Amino acid sequence: MAAPGHGTSNNIGDKIIEHVANSDVMIHLELFGVDLSITKHVIMLWIAAGLLVSAALFATRRYRKEDRHVPSGFSNAFEYVVDFVRTGILIPTVGKNHVLKWGPLVMSFFFLILTMNFLGLMPFFNYINHGHGGTTATGNINVTAALALITFFAIIMAGILEHGFFKHWKNLVPGGLPKAVYIILIPIEILSMFVRPFALTMRLAANMTAGHIAMLAIFAPIFLLHNAYVGVASVALNVGITFLEIIVSIVQAYVFTLLSSVFIGQSIHPHH
Amino acid sequence: MENLLRFDTGLMIWTWITFIAVLVILGAKAWKPMIKALENRENFIRESLEEAEEARKEADKIAIEYEAMVAKARQEAQNIVAAGKETAELMKADILNEAQEKSAGILKQAEVQIVAERDKAIAEIRNQIVDISLAAAGKIISKSLTLEDNERLIDDALKDYGKN
C-alpha cells in the first residue's frame, strides 16, 4: 500500500483508503511519553467542538439571564433539538428524575457527534492536510472508541451512584435463579458489558466511513473510463447519496446517543 | 486497511479532552440551564392549566350558587307579593264589613229616631186636638152643659180618638 499523504498511488483502492483515513502527523507532540500529535481528525474534533460550543452558547445566552425565557429564531430551533433529546431519549431511558444528572453527558454526545458527522459532509475539509480526505473524526475508530469508553464508564458510574458499588455488580445478573444458570449467565453479562461499547464504536465509525467509500467508489469509474456519460451518472448518483448521508449523519448520532442513554438507564433501573 | 484501523492513543486522548471540555462548558452553560428552563416551562404550563381548570370549576360552582340564590330570591319576592295580596284582601273585607255594620247601625238609629219623633208628634197633635176640641166645644156649648156633661163628652171624645 502506498504511504498515505503522498498521493502518488494510481491504485483506486489505495486512493479511497487514503481519503477516508486519518492524515499523517501534522504537528508532532509528545507529553509524558504519550504521543499527542495533531492530525487532521484532531483538528476536525476541535472545529466541531468550537462550532458546537459557540452555537450552543449563542443559542442559550438568554436562558442564563432570564428566568422564564420565551425563545425565538435560532434559540427556538436549538431548544427544539434539546427538547427532542430530553423527551425522546433521556426521559424514556434514564427517567425524569435523572435528566438533570445525565442530560449534559447525553446531550454532549448527541450534539458533538452530530456536528462532527455534518462536518464530514462538507467537502472543503479535505483542504486540511493538503487535499487529502474529507472524512470527519467520527469516521475514525479511535474517536468513536474513546466516546464509547466514556459510555462504558458512565454505565458503571450510573449504577454505582444509584445502587452503591456492590449492589451495582449484583444487579448485572437477575437474582433468584438456579445456581447452574449463573455459570452461563455471569460470563454472558460480563461479555455484554464489553460488547456494548465495542458495538457503539464500530457502528458509528463504519457508518461514517462507509458513505465516503461508497461515494468515492461511484466517482472512481470517471477516472477509470474517462467517459462524460459515466461522469454525469456518477455525479447524479452521488448527489442522491449525499442526501442519504445527511439522514445517516442524524440517525447515527441519534443511535449512539440513544443506546448510551438506554445502557445508562438500565444501570439505574435494573429490570432483573 | 491498516490506516483505517490503526490504534492511535493520542487521538483517543484528544477525543477525551475535547469531549470533556464540551461536557463541562456546555453542561454548565447550555444543557443544564436549558433542561431547567424546559422543566420550569412544563411545570408552569401544567400548573396554569390546572389553575384554569380549577377556576372554571369554581366559576361553575359560583354560577350555580348564584342561580339558586336568584331563584330563591324570586320565590321569596313572589311569596311576599302573595302575602301582601292576602293581607290586602283581608283588610278590604274587614273594612267593608265594618262599613256595612256602621251603616246598618246608623240606619237603625235613624229609624228609631224617626219612630220616636213620629210618636212625639202624634202625641203633641193629640194634645193640641184635645185642647182645640175643648176650646171649640166649650165655645159652642159652654152654657148648656154641666160639668158632668163636659167630663162625659171629653171621655167619649178621647175614646173615639183612641180607637182611631
Side-chain angles (χ1 to χ4, degrees), chain B residues 55-121:
Chain B
R56 202 182 58 80
K57 274 184 192 159
E58 189 72 15
D60 282 354
K61 213 175 99 186
I62 287 170
I64 288 167
E65 275 175 13
Y66 173 78
E67 257 167 43
M69 231 162 70
V70 167
K72 202 177 150 197
R74 190 174 292 144
Q75 186 62 45
E76 252 167 41
Q78 275 172 354
N79 285 351
I80 288 167
V81 168
K85 245 183 208 166
E86 207 175 320
T87 312
E89 289 287 339
L90 280 176
M91 270 171 79
K92 185 179 136 192
D94 274 1
I95 289 166
L96 272 177
N97 272 345
E98 210 177 318
Q100 270 167 353
E101 270 169 30
K102 233 181 214 171
S103 69
I106 289 167
L107 270 178
K108 210 170 189 181
Q109 215 179 336
E111 236 165 53
V112 169
Q113 221 166 352
I114 287 166
V115 169
E117 288 291 332
R118 194 193 62 186
D119 288 353
K120 209 171 136 190

Side-chain angles (χ1 to χ4, degrees), chain B residues 121-156:
Chain B
I122 287 170
E124 215 164 283
I125 289 168
R126 191 185 288 163
N127 283 344
Q128 280 181 3
I129 287 171
V130 170
D131 287 348
I132 292 165
S133 309
L134 274 178
K139 271 179 187 161
I140 297 165
I141 52 165
S142 53
K143 296 200 176 120
S144 58
L145 287 177
T146 63
L147 191 62
E148 284 158 16
D149 290 332
N150 271 342
E151 280 177 354
R152 192 179 37 84
L153 276 169
I154 289 164
D155 282 341
D156 288 345

Side-chain angles (χ1 to χ4, degrees), chain A residues 227-234:
Chain A
N227 181 317
Y229 298 110
V230 172
V232 170
S234 292

Side-chain angles (χ1 to χ4, degrees), chain A residues 1 4 34-36 49 57 60 63-64 68-69 79 86 96 104-105 108 111 140 142 146 149-150, chain B residues 1 3-4 6 8 10-14 16 18-19 23 26 29 31-32 34 37-39 41-42 44:
Chain A
M1 175 175 278
V34 183
D35 180 23
L36 287 174
L57 289 182
T60 56
Y63 292 85
R64 291 189 290 277
R68 191 177 290 142
H69 175 52
E79 189 200 279
R86 188 178 78 95
K96 216 171 166 64
L105 181 84
S108 298
F111 281 92
N140 190 309
N142 293 287
L149 270 172
I150 292 171
Chain B
M1 282 301 279
N3 275 334
L4 273 187
R6 190 177 59 197
D8 186 346
L11 184 53
M12 287 183 80
I13 291 168
W14 278 123
W16 285 325
T18 312
F19 182 82
L23 176 63
L26 292 188
K29 296 284 178 191
W31 309 140
K32 277 190 179 175
M34 213 143 189
L38 287 167
E39 279 174 358
R41 196 183 308 155
E42 249 179 31
F44 174 71

Side-chain angles (χ1 to χ4, degrees), chain A residues 129-161:
Chain A
N129 194 32
H130 321 297
H132 287 118
T135 51
T136 189
T138 36
N140 190 309
I141 205 156
N142 293 287
V143 173
T144 57
L147 293 174
L149 270 172
I150 292 171
T151 300
F152 176 78
F153 289 114
I155 294 167
I156 296 169
M157 277 283 288
I160 291 172
L161 282 177

